[in-house]
Amino acid sequence: MLSTFLKLAYRFSHSAKWRHNERLWPHAQIARDAMGAIERFTWRGRNVPLARRAELQRLRRLPCHIIASGPSVADIDYDALPMHHVMGVNGAIALTERAPVKFNYYCILDAGFVRQRPDLARRIVARDLVLFVTPVVLARLLDMFPMSAFGCRFYLVDDIFKRGLEAARTTQTLRADPQVSASAAFFGDESRLGFSFDIDNGFFHGGTVAYFALQVATWLGFTEMYMHGLDLRDAAATPRFYETMQTRAPTRLDDEFATLIEPSFRLAANVLRARGVRVENLSRTSALGEDIFAKVDWRSLRRRNLSLVVPDEAVPVATLDSVPADGAPSLRPTGTHGHA
C-alpha cells in the first residue's frame, strides 16, 4: 500500500523524463565519481559495498563463455567443455544443478526475473562472483534477501538513456556528450540502438540481457567470447533450458527480435569485428544469422587447446590498440531486460 502511494506521489511530482526513477524514490541515494560512474549506493539508509573498476578491467588471455538461457544449453556437455571465465545471465545459474560450472560474473537487468524466480536469484547472489545490476535490480534484491544471503560483489550500471536518479537523456544529448560519443557506437543518427564499450557511461538495452552481457565482457577486457544458449527463436512457445511449458516466464523476445534484438547484435558484430574481438555462437539453431556471429559446435572448442591452463596476465586495457569501426576516432576497449 505504501509503495503504491509513493509511486503515485512520485508520478504526480515528477515529469515523464524522471519516471524511470519511481522505484528508487525516496529510499535510494547514488554518488558518482568525476567520470559519472556509480561509486556509492545507499538503500533505505544502508550503504552497499560496490566492486571497483580498477579491480576488474584488464586484458584477458583466455576466452569468456557467456551463458544465456536458450534450450540449446541442454545440448552441451559441460563436463567435457573447459571454461576458464564464465558469465551467466538471469536463470543460467540453474545449470549448476547438472554440471560443475563456476560462474565468475553475472548479469541481471530485469527486476521481474528476481520477483518471478527468487529461488534462482538467491542462488546467484550467494555465489562468489561479480554481479552486474542496475540500481533498481539491486534495490529489489536488498528488499528480498537479508545481508547474510549475499556472497557476491555488486557492480552498478545504468541504462545509457536512463541513469539512476537523473533525468532521461535523448540520442541527441548522448551524441553531443564527448565522453559518451568516444566510447559508444550508435546505429544511425536518430536510433536508440548502439553498443557501449564503457559501461560506466551506460549500456544499450538491445532487447535481451545477453546483449548487455556482451558489452560487459568487452568492457572487462575479453577479446574472445562464446555465446551459449543464444537461441532467440520461438521464445514464447519454447521454454528456457531450466523451464517447462507450465513454468515458463513471459518474454518479449519474439516481438522485439526484428526491430531491436537482431539489429543490435548485427551492429555489435560489426564494431567488435573491426576491433579484433572474436565472438562465436554455440547455438546452431540461433535466430541470429551466420553473418552476425559464426555458429560453431561446442565440441570444436576442445580442439582449440582451450583446456590449456595459462597465466591470465594482467595487461592495462588502455594499452590496447583499437580499430575504428566506421572511420570515427578509435574507441578505447573498456567497454537489456528480458530473457535470453
Side-chain angles (χ1 to χ4, degrees):
M1 186 68 177
L2 178 59
S3 61
T4 301
F5 172 78
L6 290 174
K7 184 182 295 186
L8 292 174
Y10 187 87
R11 292 184 178 184
F12 180 78
S13 58
H14 292 75
S15 64
K17 66 181 180 180
W18 293 86
R19 186 65 52 80
H20 60 282
N21 294 304
E22 65 183 20
R23 294 183 182 178
L24 297 175
W25 183 85
H27 304 298
Q29 291 182 320
I30 293 176
R32 300 178 183 273
D33 63 18
M35 301 300 291
I38 299 175
E39 63 177 358
R40 182 171 180 174
F41 180 79
T42 303
W43 180 248
R44 300 186 188 276
R46 181 174 60 195
N47 182 54
V48 183
L50 302 176
R52 302 297 179 186
R53 179 188 188 114
E55 304 170 21
L56 301 177
Q57 278 194 304
R58 54 178 163 163
L59 174 61
R60 313 282 173 167
R61 300 294 189 185
L62 293 170
C64 181
H65 293 258
I66 301 175
I67 302 180
S69 304
S72 65
V73 166
D75 299 330
I76 299 176
D77 181 0
Y78 285 94
D79 288 313
L81 179 60
M83 299 186 295
H84 300 283
H85 298 287
V86 182
M87 178 179 295
V89 307
N90 286 3
I93 193 69
L95 186 59
T96 58
E97 297 174 3
R98 65 182 75 175
V101 176
K102 174 177 170 50
F103 289 96
N104 310 100
Y105 312 100
Y106 221 94
C107 297
I108 304 176
L109 294 179
D110 185 0
F113 166 76
V114 177
R115 182 182 66 255
Q116 295 161 6
R117 294 303 304 261
D119 56 325
L120 297 180
R122 179 183 282 273
R123 289 163 59 183
I124 294 166
V125 301
R127 299 280 174 137
D128 178 17
L129 50 79
V130 180
L131 177 56
F132 294 84
V133 291
T134 63
V136 169
V137 172
L138 179 53
R140 171 76 70 174
L141 291 169
L142 293 171
D143 278 347
M144 185 168 289
F145 305 121
M147 289 304 294
S148 59
F150 297 102
C152 66
R153 293 185 294 158
F154 295 105
Y155 199 93
L156 277 183
V157 292
D158 293 296
D159 184 306
I160 199 166
F161 293 100
K162 300 176 181 179
R163 303 213 308 179
L165 300 186
E166 295 183 2
R169 301 184 290 181
T170 65
T171 302
Q172 293 75 19
T173 301
L174 292 174
R175 282 183 169 277
D177 185 328
Q179 183 173 313
V180 174
S181 61
S183 62
F186 291 87
F187 188 84
D189 294 336
E190 303 296 329
S191 173
R192 294 174 66 86
L193 307 186
F195 189 90
S196 175
F197 292 91
D198 190 342
I199 60 171
D200 283 336
N201 290 330
F203 64 89
F204 287 88
H205 191 291
T208 168
V209 65
Y211 189 72
F212 168 66
L214 189 61
Q215 294 169 80
V216 172
T218 304
W219 176 85
L220 283 168
F222 290 103
T223 58
E224 186 176 349
M225 289 167 264
Y226 299 99
M227 308 294 296
H228 302 228
L230 194 65
D231 299 358
L232 304 172
R233 185 183 297 280
D234 298 325
T238 308
R240 300 162 183 85
F241 77 86
Y242 57 89
E243 294 177 329
T244 66
M245 287 297 291
Q246 291 70 37
T247 64
R248 71 188 190 280
T251 178
R252 292 185 55 81
L253 291 182
D254 294 337
D255 296 335
E256 297 181 341
F257 180 80
T259 58
L260 177 58
I261 298 173
E262 198 272 355
S264 293
F265 276 109
R266 186 172 296 279
L267 168 68
N270 290 336
V271 297
L272 290 174
R273 192 176 299 118
R275 297 166 69 91
V277 176
R278 187 172 78 183
V279 182
E280 293 183 337
N281 189 352
L282 301 188
S283 173
R284 303 303 297 270
T285 61
S286 175
L288 297 179
E290 287 266 10
D291 58 332
I292 296 180
F293 300 135
K295 296 181 181 181
V296 300
D297 190 285
W298 68 269
R299 298 171 187 83
S300 69
L301 303 189
R302 302 186 66 191
R303 298 192 291 271
R304 299 184 186 180
N305 296 322
L306 295 185
S307 60
L308 293 177
V309 178
V310 299
D312 186 18
E313 300 175 10
V315 178
V317 176
T319 65
L320 295 174
D321 292 328
S322 61
V323 180
D326 54 6
S330 62
L331 306 177
R332 186 165 61 92
T334 56
T336 217
H337 312 289
H339 306 289

